[in-house]
Amino acid sequence: MTIYDIAKKCNVSIATVSRVLNGSRRVSPETRERVLAVMKEEDYNPNPFARGLGLDSMKMIGVLCADVADTFYAKAVSLIENDLRQKDWNVVLCCTGSDDGKGAEYLRYLTQKHVDAIIIVGTPFSSRRDVAELERISSDIPIITINSDYHSPSAFSIVCDEKEGMRTIVKKLAEKNCSSILYLYDSLTYSGKQKLAGYRAGIDDFFLDAAPVLAQKIPRTLEAAENIVRKLIANDIFFDAIVTSEDLLAVAAQRAALKNGKAIPVIGCNNSILAECSTPTLTSLDNRLGDLCTMAVHTVTQLMSDRSAPVPTKTVFSAQIAERESFVFSVNQ
Amino acid sequence: MTIYDIAKKCNVSIATVSRVLNGSRRVSPETRERVLAVMKEEDYNPNPFARGLGLDSMKMIGVLCADVADTFYAKAVSLIENDLRQKDWNVVLCCTGSDDGKGAEYLRYLTQKHVDAIIIVGTPFSSRRDVAELERISSDIPIITINSDYHSPSAFSIVCDEKEGMRTIVKKLAEKNCSSILYLYDSLTYSGKQKLAGYRAGIDDFFLDAAPVLAQKIPRTLEAAENIVRKLIANDIFFDAIVTSEDLLAVAAQRAALKNGKAIPVIGCNNSILAECSTPTLTSLDNRLGDLCTMAVHTVTQLMSDRSAPVPTKTVFSAQIAERESFVFSVNQ
DNA sequence: TTGTAGGCGTTATCAT
DNA sequence: ATGATAACGCCTACAA
């Protein structure tokens, strides 16, 4: 079933069918009706490749992240996909896995499919070569980044101010008379650095214990978090609160702390379902993922619809705090 | 940069360039080198739309599920995407959200993009019309289903025998002298029905308490699970074990049970990260998602590479049990 | 309002 | 081994 078949059945030219297809007003109502009827009757779908060839677009957006199995990225991809589909855009998913210097390769997968734009969630790669490739690409096709610090001429950056968020958390803990805050983190991506910086800023602000041993970099696993907490306690390292760069780590840290008789505030990050599944439920830094994703999609559609529309190069949202059992900041706790 | 430009720069015809592009052996080594060199030099990428138009394929697979934000689907999509990319296939993601009779619409999004095949994870839709649309489509394009019971002429079904899995769990609980097993479930999709049937079969096998009140259908939320457990206990409904159709429900159920002084076995399903984040960690029915997805991708690639290859219409994996703290079956627990 | 014809960038079938 | 050339199915000036 092609545009020719439809044209023949309607006794019109393919141009007319094409016009109906694209909603042109330069078609008489009667012919339009007739063509539409035949189209429906024949269950006709225009060939997207041919259309893509002509329009240089198949209305597809590449979404790149490290791993959709991770609750944070999963939520992001979910939000993005839903928003985009509502506006008639499709998502081509691309997961890089661990950051082993193959980011450029993944970027190429996407550009080779000729997607209209790429949304990058987090920091799926960081090597010089990969970032260089990103810059090159960004001059050809719009790149929208969520919570990363890739800088490219035509890249649009959307971030959450997690640094201030962390700083606020430390502040609130300080106000509750915590003096030695253990900080567990798993990576030094953009987001990772921001959070660590926020933690350190908070420590400075309130002259809290700044011992290096209190900031521990560990793998992003339950075991790692559990082990480090157990070990620190066994070694008589004092701390009276735990903050982590990830809910997952907080879950295990809290578990280990409680198991070793330490009932102290534990605060996670990302405000994921894990925070709610933990017992006690975890207070968590909420990085406004919903707003970030909405903004990303809005930016994409804006750029696509109106090339000259003014689109902010950088958008910043402030973090929020989702309070739960693991630490309630309000007075009447 | 088109094939014409490359051809011109190499003083050959586009046919030769195309041959090089497609790895044909009918090109002299010297010309091949020359063409490849120019291609690299010019950073040439063949236009995927034009190629798609000629080959009637852009090597894209549609993946349809209810919601990638859900840990189960997220893991599935992650596994599928990784496997497919390794074989040079791309994933177009499509999430339906709640089953509100618009499944056909989502199927159409995918077919309109002319994907080469569709992998459906779970039961994203169930209405008559939606399923009818699926059947229609399945005659045009390969459909691979994971853990659903859509029956179509040319659909390939890959499932886990969760019924037997559940039955085994009930059996093991019975052997530990549990007599009244509370079963919490959230939906009656194919998978949902299987699990419920397995639970009932187990109850029958061992003449356990078959009171209807012990099988409760609730929303898939922590609150719902927590509430129902609290309510049952408050109403003096006796039960000495809890099994759920979802880890999420088990997390909350266990929490509520413990809070109300009931330290009983709690067993979830899907063996997700939630089972590990729960305290105590949850024993969970493992539906072999990894194997299901691997098989799905294998089926797709098989179908694509060799149209005549014998591909099983239905593949069944048996479930496994991931034992954790919430209930250890071994003797020396 | 409608039709004609060229172009989009490949692949593939012929010749040579 | 290489080169013309016809599809592939649609869009879009330009003409009528």
Side-chain angles (χ1 to χ4, degrees):
Chain A
M1 232 346 98
T2 76
I3 204 173
Y4 288 94
D5 303 320
I6 302 293
K8 199 164 295 174
K9 275 198 200 301
C10 296
N11 291 317
V12 295
S13 73
I14 62 163
T16 300
V17 178
S18 178
R19 286 193 198 96
V20 171
L21 217 47
N22 296 291
S24 163
R25 297 178 314 130
R26 304 190 168 288
V27 186
S28 78
E30 305 91 62
T31 29
R32 176 192 308 287
E33 286 314 307
R34 192 148 39 96
V35 173
L36 284 175
V38 173
M39 280 180 175
K40 183 157 293 176
E41 187 182 312
E42 301 291 333
D43 191 29
Y44 165 73
N45 280 121
N47 183 305
F49 305 146
R51 185 171 243 189
L53 193 55
L55 299 176
D56 198 37
S57 161
M58 262 183 67
K59 300 215 73 170
M60 299 193 310
I61 305 290
V63 173
L64 190 72
C65 69
D67 178 18
V68 259
D70 182 287
T71 51
F72 181 72
Y73 298 119
K75 195 169 162 192
V77 171
S78 172
L79 292 164
I80 291 170
E81 197 272 342
N82 278 287
D83 276 15
L84 280 177
R85 187 164 302 289
Q86 212 143 15
K87 303 188 179 178
D88 197 29
W89 289 90
N90 278 75
V91 165
V92 178
L93 184 62
C94 188
C95 303
T96 63
S98 56
D99 183 2
D100 49 1
K102 288 199 277 186
E105 203 174 317
Y106 290 97
L107 282 170
R108 238 170 273 137
Y109 291 143
L110 251 22
T111 51
Q112 276 171 10
K113 288 303 174 213
H114 217 298
V115 295
D116 296 281
I118 298 179
I119 297 178
I120 300 179
V121 188
T123 310
F125 51 79
S126 57
S127 85
R128 261 193 133 69
R129 283 195 46 215
D130 294 341
V131 177
E133 176 72 5
L134 178 62
E135 288 208 31
R136 268 192 38 215
I137 290 176
S138 73
S139 60
D140 300 333
I141 158 188
I143 304 280
I144 292 89
T145 64
I146 294 180
N147 254 20
S148 83
D149 61 348
Y150 299 132
H151 294 303
S152 331
S154 72
F156 300 89
S157 166
I158 300 168
V159 300
C160 174
D161 189 350
E162 295 175 316
K163 180 178 173 187
E164 270 309 300
M166 268 300 171
R167 194 173 185 168
T168 304
I169 282 179
V170 172
K171 177 187 172 195
K172 298 215 171 191
L173 287 170
E175 287 168 351
K176 287 284 189 178
N177 294 323
C178 294
S179 65
S180 298
I181 304 175
L182 174 62
Y183 182 66
L184 303 179
Y185 63 102
D186 65 305
S187 74
L188 286 178
T189 56
Y190 170 74
S191 170
K193 284 181 202 152
Q194 292 297 304
K195 289 180 252 184
L196 181 56
Y199 162 74
R200 293 214 166 115
I203 296 294
D204 276 0
D205 290 343
F206 294 89
F207 310 101
L208 305 182
D209 189 349
V213 71
L214 289 180
Q216 293 274 352
K217 185 167 188 298
I218 58 175
R220 191 176 186 141
T221 65
L222 292 165
E223 294 73 34
E226 211 149 349
N227 288 340
I228 190 71
V229 169
R230 189 180 336 111
K231 211 179 82 185
L232 291 177
I233 292 178
N235 290 351
D236 279 332
I237 306 289
F238 177 76
F239 54 92
D240 50 15
I242 304 177
V243 179
T244 74
S245 67
E246 254 289 323
D247 282 337
L248 187 79
L249 302 181
V251 168
Q254 173 171 258
R255 183 186 286 165
L258 289 175
K259 199 176 289 176
N260 288 278
K262 250 182 145 53
I264 57 179
V266 179
I267 298 175
C269 184
N270 285 356
N271 194 22
S272 67
I273 184 73
L274 303 185
E276 299 179 65
C277 284
S278 186
T279 305
T281 56
L282 287 166
T283 290
S284 185
L285 187 66
D286 183 333
N287 37 29
R288 310 270 299 267
L289 189 54
D291 294 322
L292 299 183
C293 291
T294 300
M295 187 64 197
V297 171
H298 182 255
T299 301
V300 170
T301 51
Q302 200 75 11
L303 287 171
M304 295 300 138
S305 66
D306 186 0
R307 288 188 65 90
S308 65
V311 177
T313 299
K314 181 158 188 173
T315 313
V316 181
F317 288 88
S318 55
Q320 295 177 335
I321 297 173
E323 299 190 15
R324 296 203 183 79
E325 296 165 357
S326 76
F327 190 64
V328 180
F329 294 119
S330 57
V331 201
N332 51 348
Q333 85 177 74
Chain B
M1 231 350 93
T2 76
I3 204 173
Y4 286 94
D5 303 320
I6 303 292
K8 199 164 295 174
K9 276 198 201 301
C10 297
N11 291 317
V12 295
S13 72
I14 61 163
T16 300
V17 178
S18 180
R19 286 194 196 97
V20 172
L21 216 46
N22 296 290
S24 161
R25 295 178 317 129
R26 303 191 169 287
V27 186
S28 77
E30 305 91 63
T31 31
R32 176 191 308 287
E33 286 313 309
R34 194 150 37 98
V35 173
L36 284 175
V38 173
M39 280 180 173
K40 183 157 294 178
E41 187 182 311
E42 301 291 333
D43 191 30
Y44 164 73
N45 281 122
N47 183 304
F49 305 146
R51 189 171 240 185
L53 191 56
L55 298 175
D56 197 37
S57 161
M58 261 183 68
K59 300 214 71 170
M60 299 193 308
I61 305 291
V63 173
L64 190 71
C65 69
D67 178 18
V68 260
D70 181 287
T71 52
F72 181 72
Y73 298 119
K75 196 170 163 191
V77 171
S78 172
L79 292 163
I80 291 170
E81 196 271 344
N82 278 288
D83 276 15
L84 281 177
R85 188 165 300 289
Q86 213 144 15
K87 303 187 179 179
D88 198 29
W89 288 90
N90 277 75
V91 165
V92 178
L93 184 62
C94 187
C95 304
T96 64
S98 56
D99 183 2
D100 50 0
K102 288 198 277 185
E105 202 174 317
Y106 290 98
L107 282 171
R108 236 169 275 137
Y109 291 144
L110 252 21
T111 51
Q112 276 171 9
K113 286 303 174 212
H114 217 299
V115 295
D116 296 279
I118 298 180
I119 297 178
I120 300 179
V121 188
T123 310
F125 51 78
S126 58
S127 85
R128 261 193 134 69
R129 283 194 47 213
D130 294 342
V131 177
E133 176 72 5
L134 178 62
E135 288 209 31
R136 269 192 39 215
I137 290 176
S138 73
S139 60
D140 300 332
I141 158 188
I143 305 279
I144 292 88
T145 63
I146 294 179
N147 256 18
S148 83
D149 61 349
Y150 299 132
H151 296 303
S152 331
S154 73
F156 300 88
S157 166
I158 301 169
V159 299
C160 174
D161 190 350
E162 295 175 316
K163 180 180 173 187
E164 271 308 300
M166 268 301 170
R167 194 173 185 168
T168 304
I169 282 180
V170 172
K171 177 186 173 196
K172 298 214 172 191
L173 287 170
E175 288 168 350
K176 286 284 189 176
N177 294 323
C178 294
S179 65
S180 297
I181 304 174
L182 173 62
Y183 182 66
L184 303 180
Y185 63 103
D186 64 305
S187 74
L188 285 178
T189 57
Y190 169 74
S191 170
K193 283 182 204 151
Q194 292 297 304
K195 289 179 251 182
L196 181 56
Y199 162 73
R200 292 214 166 116
I203 296 294
D204 275 1
D205 290 343
F206 295 88
F207 310 101
L208 306 181
D209 188 349
V213 70
L214 289 180
Q216 293 274 353
K217 185 167 189 299
I218 58 174
R220 191 178 187 140
T221 64
L222 292 164
E223 294 72 35
E226 212 149 347
N227 288 339
I228 190 71
V229 169
R230 187 179 340 109
K231 212 179 82 184
L232 291 177
I233 293 177
N235 290 352
D236 279 331
I237 307 290
F238 177 77
F239 54 92
D240 49 16
I242 305 177
V243 178
T244 74
S245 67
E246 254 288 322
D247 282 338
L248 187 79
L249 301 182
V251 168
Q254 173 170 259
R255 183 186 284 163
L258 288 176
K259 199 175 288 176
N260 289 277
K262 250 183 147 52
I264 56 178
V266 179
I267 298 175
C269 184
N270 285 357
N271 194 22
S272 67
I273 184 73
L274 303 186
E276 299 178 64
C277 284
S278 186
T279 305
T281 56
L282 286 167
T283 290
S284 185
L285 187 66
D286 183 333
N287 37 29
R288 311 268 301 266
L289 189 56
D291 294 322
L292 299 183
C293 291
T294 301
M295 186 65 196
V297 171
H298 181 255
T299 301
V300 169
T301 50
Q302 200 76 11
L303 287 170
M304 296 300 139
S305 66
D306 186 1
R307 289 189 64 90
S308 65
V311 178
T313 300
K314 181 158 188 172
T315 313
V316 181
F317 287 88
S318 54
Q320 296 176 335
I321 297 172
E323 298 189 16
R324 295 203 183 78
E325 296 166 356
S326 74
F327 190 63
V328 180
F329 294 119
S330 59
V331 199
N332 51 348
Q333 86 178 75

